[in-house]
Amino acid sequence: MPTTTSRSLGFSLDPRSDDSLRRQVFDQVVARIATGTLPAGFRLPPTRALARELDIHRNTVVRAYEDLEGAGFVVSTVGRGTFVAEVVGGTNGSVTQIRRSLPWDSLLSRATNVEPLGRVDRMARIPRGPNEAIQCSRLQPSPDLLPDALFKRCLDHVFRVQGAKALEYAPRDGVPRLRALIADDLSRHGVPASAEDVLVTSGSQQALDLVARTLLDPGDTFLVDESTYSGAINLIATAGARLVGIAADDEGPDLEALDRAARAGAKGLYLMPNTNNPTATTISRARREALVEWSHDRGVPIIEDDYASDLHLDGVPPPPALRALSGEVIFVGSFSKKLIPALRIGFVVCPKELRPRIDSLKHSMDLCTSGLLQSALAEFIERGYLAAHLTRVIPEYRERRDALTGSLSKHMPDGVTWRVPQHGLHLWLQLPPSVDADRFHDEAQRRGVVVNPGAFHSPNNTRRDGVRLTFCSEPSDRLVLAGRRLGQAAHAALGTAAGGLTTQDIT
Ligand SMILES: Cc1ncc(COP(=O)(O)O)c(C=O)c1O
């Protein structure tokens, strides 16, 4: 059947489209209402007449009109016809705007003026180079590794089973089915937890924010790695705390440095034991045990961020979680890196003394995390899709990591070092003292590679000796090219040979 067109409204239906004819009639009426072509009060053609014009069954038009009425676009009156509805919420006649502004400078909070937040702005303003620039800065899966079709199946399932109930507010501590699944997974990984222990949050970023707000008063001291997650720096600084960076060796934070920093008291120590962002260091088992002992001895709580859980690229699990060693550790997790960042689903498991405060704060911040997405995620996990997804993506990430590190090995000058990470989606490129990370960043960008400078992750904005490189956002062949270009950038920053661009590199 060829495309059919209505004379009266100019609709055009395509029988080969994936959308049903009923859906096409609905969409075309809605599109014309949105542009004002069909104004409020306009009478739609009678169903029989429109069906005849479009050469389709009358019932198709009747159903489309019913859908339009159900969605609030039209009103039907028996015997009179179907009319475009009055828009609710339009302006009430003309208004005159007052043009004077309020004294915003004196109204803005000090919290929103802290230095680290300015870094976020500056980073957002750094020109990203041409569109085809290779992304070694973004810490999120590339779209080809996001399971959109399978996730949509789960969303459809939730709507089929729950109908409109899926669109209600969720319980403030999370959808029970998802909480139970998270608890089961934690228990399988040696972290004892029941569903009641799990509070679902809007991303692990919110979990960290909740913990910071629960513990911190302005002026408090808070301990972090010397290089740490910029998002944590931002919220701890915004809470008015004094951030103290702790030096680390290959095994993790230095205990003597910790002791010195906490001498006058500290409200917390934030760690990413499985893979620090940005240095990709994994804390050793012995150091984990020592850190937990230290926390108990000094009365300083540890916040453990397992943001990249399950991403063990060589199949070797990391040492036990700190939370497995002590129920006093505050444990934060996320589905953003191993699955889908847009879910905005994370969680926190904390000592019971904190829980009522964290629950109330969570409620006051956003009432709840999307129940629709939580239910779809629970379905995704129960169907075994998450396990299958990890089975698919881990070898791919391993290949990407090896592509990047292999190319770095070939092209980096002496003095630039990195470790091949076993967990997570990034590595740390350690630059020699003579190369400033910002300079390297600029040289890399000129060659079409975007990297993440170390200062961004430094509590006092001082770390200039390295950059973070991610290998999750680009396919292997582009990461090989990135390694070559980064080698040239390093040569250029060092003032040694091989800094030039070749045509082959640009294409
Ligand atoms: C170390 C770390 N923790 C937490 C987060 C927040 O992740 P989300 O809020 O998406 O769960 C990120 C995001 O990049 C991160 O790198």
Side-chain angles (χ1 to χ4, degrees), residues 49-71:
L50 186 58
R52 204 175 315 115
E53 276 182 34
L54 289 167
D55 196 19
I56 57 177
H57 201 285
R58 183 179 167 209
N59 274 349
T60 306
V61 182
V62 170
R63 299 275 173 276
Y65 280 17
E66 282 169 5
D67 293 344
L68 286 162
E69 185 165 28

Side-chain angles (χ1 to χ4, degrees), residues 139 203-205 208 229 270 272 277 305 307 334 336-337 344:
L139 187 50
S204 57
Q205 188 68 17
L208 295 173
Y229 168 48
Y270 168 69
M272 294 156 272
N277 177 6
D305 183 354
Y307 67 104
S334 171
S336 294
K337 312 297 179 192
R344 309 306 308 126

Side-chain angles (χ1 to χ4, degrees), residues 172-173 199 354-364:
R172 73 174 180 182
D173 36 16
L199 169 68
L354 266 66
R355 189 56 193 269
R357 302 265 183 117
I358 293 197
D359 278 358
S360 318
L361 264 180
K362 158 72 181 163
H363 189 66
S364 81

Side-chain angles (χ1 to χ4, degrees), residues 401-414 416 418 420 427 429 480 483-484 487:
R401 175 199 67 185
D402 293 346
L404 178 62
T405 52
S407 181
L408 290 173
S409 301
K410 275 201 200 132
H411 300 291
M412 274 298 161
D414 287 347
V416 179
W418 61 92
V420 179
L427 59 84
L429 199 65
V480 170
R484 172 136 52 100

Side-chain angles (χ1 to χ4, degrees), residues 100-335:
R100 274 170 296 127
S101 53
L102 293 181
W104 290 114
D105 278 350
S106 60
L107 291 168
L108 294 175
S109 74
R110 273 192 295 279
T112 53
N113 198 27
V114 293
E115 184 276 331
L117 287 190
R119 280 188 233 168
V120 179
D121 272 359
R122 279 199 304 285
M123 189 72 188
R125 278 198 300 270
I126 293 177
R128 288 275 170 237
N131 277 346
E132 68 274 17
I134 304 175
Q135 251 303 339
C136 290
S137 169
R138 213 168 28 209
L139 187 50
Q140 61 169 308
S142 50
D144 57 312
L145 297 183
L146 294 172
D148 53 336
L150 288 181
F151 192 72
K152 182 169 179 304
R153 271 194 221 170
C154 296
L155 269 178
D156 290 345
H157 174 86
V158 171
F159 276 120
R160 253 194 325 276
V161 173
Q162 295 187 21
K165 273 195 86 56
L167 301 177
E168 292 180 344
Y169 285 121
R172 73 174 180 182
D173 36 16
V175 166
R177 189 170 153 222
L178 180 62
R179 294 171 69 200
L181 286 164
I182 293 172
D184 286 351
D185 187 55
L186 287 174
S187 304
R188 265 196 305 278
H189 286 87
V191 175
S194 66
E196 294 68 45
D197 297 327
V198 176
L199 169 68
V200 177
T201 56
S202 301
S204 57
Q205 188 68 17
Q206 185 184 50
L208 295 173
D209 197 12
L210 287 166
V211 174
R213 289 181 195 226
T214 306
L215 294 177
L216 290 174
D217 288 312
D220 282 344
T221 297
F222 200 91
L223 312 176
V224 293
D225 286 305
E226 217 170 26
S227 278
T228 191
Y229 168 48
S230 56
I233 297 180
N234 294 341
L235 34 100
I236 297 164
T238 309
R242 194 173 70 87
L243 278 147
V244 179
I246 306 296
D249 57 31
D250 284 355
E251 290 201 49
D254 180 299
L255 288 166
E256 282 176 17
L258 265 179
D259 248 355
R260 278 195 301 279
R263 203 161 286 148
K267 279 295 192 66
L269 166 63
Y270 168 69
L271 297 171
M272 294 156 272
N274 290 344
T275 175
N276 166 291
N277 177 6
T279 62
T281 307
T282 302
I283 303 181
S284 71
R285 185 188 182 114
R287 189 66 55 88
R288 289 178 193 226
E289 287 165 3
L291 283 163
V292 170
E293 280 286 329
W294 178 88
S295 154
H296 281 259
D297 288 351
R298 299 287 181 273
V300 179
I302 294 180
I303 296 88
E304 174 173 30
D305 183 354
D306 194 20
Y307 67 104
S309 59
D310 294 331
L311 295 171
H312 311 313
L313 306 184
D314 299 313
V316 182
L322 303 181
R323 173 80 195 184
L325 302 174
S326 162
E328 295 293 272
V329 170
I330 302 168
F331 184 93
V332 167
S334 171
F335 288 89

